[in-house]
Amino acid sequence: MQGPCSFFFSYLGEALRAHGAEVHRILLCPGDALFWRGGGAISYRGRAEAWPGFVAWTARQEGITDMVCLGDGRSWHAQAIAALRPLGIRIHVVEQGYLRPSRRTVERDGTGGNTRFPRDWPGIEALAANANTSAQPNFRAGFLNYATMDVAWNLANLMAGPVLYPHYRPHALDGPLRDWRGWIGKLLATPWRQRRAAQAMDAIKAHTGPVFGMALQLETDFQIRLHGPPGGLRAALEGVLQSFAHHAPSKALLLVKQHPLDNGLAGWRDRVAGRAVFLDGGDLDTVLSRASGLITVNSTVGLTALAAGVPVKTLGRAIYDLPGLTHQGSIDRFWTAPDPVSPDRLTCLLRALEHIHVHGNFDGEGARPGAEAMAERILLPEHETVLPIG
């Protein structure tokens, strides 16, 4: 199915073939075709309502045993999973890693709020006891490389999509032209943004009272759209601001940090007022070293904060939202009495998470090693799967 805007799935196909597998790729748009090498391509140009039937028919015709896709939130993928699972086909969902850097996840059946990863400490402890935590190299992955391939994927769709794949609809909330407009605006405003970020960081360093942070995510992220609170990120921010205004200590400061890949069109800065400071940029480690607590919906920044010993409150479904790690009480109580982080339980969780990670990246020098490691994980026999079948 669809993968990252890179040659990663082409490398994955090569690695799977090297292990004796037969590989097919369903192309949904010109961008998919642009980054696919190795044959076995099947183009789907039909309407969305016929998609589930097409996927099931193709699987039976080609004798498919396994399906791989990037994330399980896109309608194309969600419908394909629903159509293929009753046929006994194994589903492998790949994503950005919970553990950073140079890690990617590959999970059976679903990820995020749909994960099969255990939600109880006995299950997590059992996984941790058998984890392989040997040191692995980190791979370089530059933003320019990522951005170039993202632009190429979208340009291919804009130029050839209406003719070659007329019924394809992307999963993103913003179209590429609007997204690029936002990024161009951010680039032109770089000097102003840097000055404002420096002012915000100075305010944090100079503040004598407690400092709390809220890490914003991307509205287009399916962890927000499917596993976030009602009303999405905007409602979450409004609720945090109101709770902070009424229940946080009078000398406390709230820092609202924008996601580094936000295109700037959401206008988060205009929504932050009162005893709150907005940060677009800045250094996360410096923020965490000063933080008395961190609020997030379900970002992996929460794991980073926990590793720094910072109490965390999640507002959505997060794989690390567990007793002994995150604050289990109300957000109103979090400002004055956050649940502390248990270092032992954090170590246990991080060890257990190794079972759903491979080392590598979706682009750059870590793409091929990551694809090879992922192919080996995908081809594990069913009886060697460490996570419960469900």
Side-chain angles (χ1 to χ4, degrees), residues 62-377:
E62 302 294 344
I64 301 299
T65 60
D66 296 69
M67 188 271 274
V68 187
C69 60
L70 176 66
D72 57 0
R74 307 179 187 192
S75 62
W76 300 101
H77 292 170
Q79 292 179 40
I81 291 171
L84 296 178
R85 187 178 286 139
L87 303 179
I89 293 172
R90 303 198 311 174
I91 309 299
H92 307 272
V93 181
V94 306
E95 261 294 1
Q96 304 284 354
Y98 298 111
L99 307 177
R100 307 290 174 89
S102 297
R103 306 285 188 88
R104 295 297 178 263
T105 58
V106 52
E107 299 187 68
R108 286 287 307 278
D109 293 335
T111 187
N114 295 328
T115 184
R116 277 189 349 194
F117 191 83
R119 303 297 301 151
D120 61 278
W121 281 113
I124 293 172
E125 289 165 359
L127 285 181
N130 298 305
N132 178 10
T133 57
S134 59
Q136 296 286 340
N138 290 328
F139 301 102
R140 292 174 297 177
F143 175 76
L144 181 60
N145 187 48
Y146 159 81
T148 299
M149 289 189 288
D150 182 77
V151 169
W153 188 85
N154 281 291
L155 271 178
N157 293 338
L158 285 172
M159 296 174 65
V163 175
L164 298 180
Y165 297 83
H167 303 298
Y168 174 70
R169 298 295 179 269
H171 63 279
L173 296 178
D174 289 334
L177 295 179
R178 188 172 189 272
D179 187 46
W180 296 340
R181 177 167 64 84
W183 279 103
I184 292 172
K186 285 188 67 172
L187 180 62
L188 294 176
T190 296
W192 176 81
R193 291 173 49 241
Q194 290 177 339
R195 286 195 299 271
R196 295 295 295 269
Q199 292 170 359
M201 294 299 294
D202 288 343
I204 297 168
K205 295 174 183 177
H207 190 72
T208 57
V211 176
F212 292 89
M214 180 177 184
L216 297 178
Q217 293 165 248
L218 300 176
E219 288 188 290
T220 194
D221 188 344
F222 280 104
Q223 296 307 315
I224 295 293
R225 294 159 67 175
L226 298 181
H227 309 301
L233 198 58
R234 294 169 190 262
L237 175 58
E238 182 62 27
V240 169
L241 291 172
Q242 290 184 7
S243 176
F244 184 83
H246 292 99
H247 299 281
S250 59
K251 293 185 179 180
L253 178 71
L254 176 64
L255 175 74
V256 178
K257 191 176 190 308
Q258 181 169 285
H259 192 283
L261 295 181
D262 194 292
N263 60 23
L265 296 178
W268 298 119
R269 186 184 297 275
D270 297 335
R271 298 174 180 272
V272 175
R275 291 182 291 143
V277 174
F278 182 79
L279 177 62
D280 176 11
D283 179 62
L284 179 62
D285 291 336
T286 301
V287 172
L288 293 178
S289 69
R290 186 70 180 80
S292 299
L294 179 80
I295 302 280
T296 180
V297 174
N298 44 29
S299 171
T300 54
V301 171
L303 274 174
T304 304
L306 292 172
V310 178
V312 171
K313 172 63 180 175
T314 65
L315 304 178
R317 298 169 66 188
I319 199 169
Y320 55 85
D321 185 19
L322 296 160
L325 288 183
T326 58
H327 180 73
Q328 299 297 295
S330 69
I331 187 173
D332 294 345
R333 184 68 172 164
F334 182 72
W335 311 116
T336 54
D339 294 346
V341 182
S342 167
D344 290 341
R345 288 202 160 179
L346 177 63
T347 299
C348 180
L349 175 68
L350 295 179
R351 287 179 60 88
L353 284 173
E354 293 286 350
H355 285 288
I356 58 173
H357 282 77
V358 297
H359 284 263
N361 293 327
F362 285 150
D363 56 77
E365 64 181 20
R368 283 190 180 276
E372 292 166 2
M374 192 168 286
E376 293 178 0
R377 185 69 59 86

Side-chain angles (χ1 to χ4, degrees), residues 45-65:
R45 296 184 170 92
R47 297 183 180 276
E49 54 267 27
W51 167 245
F54 172 82
V55 170
W57 179 85
T58 301
R60 288 190 291 265
Q61 288 291 111
E62 302 294 344
I64 301 299
T65 60

